[in-house]
Amino acid sequence: MERKPVFNDWCPGCGNFGILRAEEMALRELGVDSKKIVIVSGIGCSGKIPHFIELPISGVHTLHGRSIAFATGIKTANPSLEVVVNVGDGDGVGIGMGHFVHLGRRNLDITVIIHNNGVYALTKGQASPTLGRGVKTKSLPRPNINDAVNPLAVALAAGYTFVARGYAYDITHLKELIKKGIKHKGSAVIEVLQPCPTYNDVNTKEWYDKRVYKLDNDPAWDPVVKREEETKTKFEKAMMKVMELGEKIPLGVFYQNEFIPTFEERLEQNIPNYREFYPAIQPIELKGIGTTKITDLIKAKRV
């Protein structure tokens, strides 16, 4: 069936355009079967990504703060799918912070893209959890009195095994980060610095352009854990680097470790045929009769 064009209602100059294009390009270049791709989103400007992406993929526009919970269910039910989650800074690390943390400790093979613009842009620019203390954007009557959450510091502490940061106005670089995150075996998070031209008049494109720099240009920087013995050292270096958010803001991969077993691998320890007979293809009824017998459940409970 031919896909009908959808009107894009983002503001002119919105960083979401760059994220959308980078995500589309990454998926095309990876050559993933479109039938195996699921794009999940929550509420906010970033939530429209599944509507606007020009690929014949499956998209799920979910509830505020619950996109990672939906994605966890999708990936666990069908581990053969490539699941990418798009969350806003308020959606993902505000009301959705609990789900964000638990995805890291499970190390489920999902890629999370955080659209970080420092404000709740869809509801007229209130301060999001990532806006710094003392910052006053155009919609705030007074400077923000809360300290900012650092999504990548939280991600490292929670157990994410791929941690990176991109910039919405550098589409080529962001595309490569998304490709690396999707190819990574385990929970991946990519924070994207995304200027909001309508409501955040502080962290503008001009403001970011003066500060961002790429870790790729430093030949001494190597975030990949190549031996398990390197884990502690590279984790500590990554934590120090993600805290660098002053006059210089690093972009690139901070940490990558594939020595940690994924959630799917952990499930296989208890369910050996999990990948071959995953929940999504299991019958729930045969000829109108449920496959689960309540008598068996009652017996198990008594034992």
Side-chain angles (χ1 to χ4, degrees):
M1 185 173 66
E2 184 180 354
R3 180 185 174 93
K4 295 181 180 180
V6 178
F7 173 72
N8 193 318
D9 57 2
W10 288 328
C11 301
C14 176
N16 275 322
F17 286 104
I19 300 173
L20 174 64
R21 293 294 166 244
E23 198 166 329
E24 286 181 342
M25 291 166 65
L27 292 170
R28 290 182 190 277
E29 291 183 16
L30 286 171
V32 182
D33 181 358
S34 59
K35 294 180 181 178
K36 292 290 186 180
I37 301 172
V38 181
I39 306 296
V40 185
S41 70
I43 301 302
C45 299
S46 64
K48 301 303 288 290
I49 288 279
H51 300 262
F52 299 152
I53 198 163
E54 294 180 356
L55 289 169
I57 51 89
S58 296
V60 187
H61 190 172
T62 73
L63 306 174
H64 193 201
R66 304 294 177 256
S67 51
I68 289 176
F70 275 82
T72 297
I74 292 167
K75 182 68 175 183
T76 306
N78 188 346
S80 70
L81 297 174
E82 199 65 69
V83 181
V84 179
V85 187
N86 288 268
V87 297
D89 41 355
D91 176 42
V93 297
I95 188 173
M97 177 63 89
H99 300 298
F100 178 68
V101 168
H102 290 298
L103 177 59
R105 60 185 280 265
R106 293 185 176 112
N107 199 30
L108 190 63
D109 191 14
I110 285 175
T111 302
V112 178
I113 300 173
I114 301 176
H115 302 225
N116 184 359
N117 58 22
V119 294
Y120 287 96
L122 191 66
T123 52
K124 305 301 182 283
Q126 301 90 338
S128 85
T130 59
L131 189 70
R133 175 160 52 92
V135 178
K136 183 186 180 304
T137 55
K138 64 191 294 185
S139 292
L140 300 181
R142 298 181 182 84
N144 179 32
I145 62 173
N146 296 310
D147 284 317
V149 169
N150 184 323
L152 298 190
V154 174
L156 283 167
Y160 280 80
T161 49
F162 180 94
V163 177
R165 179 186 292 129
Y167 179 42
Y169 285 97
D170 191 337
I171 296 174
T172 301
H173 183 252
L174 177 57
K175 173 202 68 176
E176 292 302 319
L177 290 179
I178 294 173
K179 286 167 63 177
K180 289 178 182 178
I182 291 174
K183 289 193 291 186
H184 172 73
K185 188 184 70 172
S187 293
V189 59
I190 303 165
E191 176 193 19
V192 185
L193 304 177
Q194 178 219 338
C196 174
T198 301
Y199 292 111
N200 190 335
D201 55 348
V202 177
N203 308 122
T204 62
K205 179 181 183 296
E206 293 72 25
W207 188 91
Y208 278 120
D209 286 346
K210 294 176 183 178
R211 291 166 173 79
V212 295
Y213 74 94
K214 295 174 184 175
L215 293 170
D216 310 6
N217 295 332
D218 181 0
W221 181 256
D222 181 9
V224 181
V225 176
K226 298 180 176 66
R227 303 186 310 276
E228 288 191 77
E229 298 76 27
E230 297 179 335
T231 299
K232 183 174 183 294
T233 300
K234 293 200 170 179
F235 175 88
E236 291 172 348
K237 287 182 178 179
M239 186 62 83
M240 293 294 292
K241 188 60 73 172
V242 300
M243 299 300 289
E244 189 179 309
L245 290 169
E247 290 305 305
K248 292 294 182 181
I249 303 174
L251 305 175
V253 179
F254 295 94
Y255 183 73
Q256 183 171 5
N257 184 355
E258 292 194 349
F259 287 97
I260 308 298
T262 65
F263 191 64
E264 296 92 319
E265 291 170 337
R266 301 174 200 184
L267 285 174
E268 281 185 294
Q269 293 176 1
N270 294 332
I271 313 170
N273 67 343
Y274 167 63
R275 289 187 187 271
E276 293 74 38
F277 196 49
Y278 46 85
I281 61 173
Q282 293 182 25
I284 60 173
E285 65 175 28
L286 294 173
K287 296 181 180 180
I289 300 175
T291 55
T292 301
K293 295 180 180 179
I294 189 66
T295 52
D296 292 342
L297 292 177
I298 293 172
K299 288 177 182 177
K301 185 175 180 181
R302 285 175 180 171
V303 173

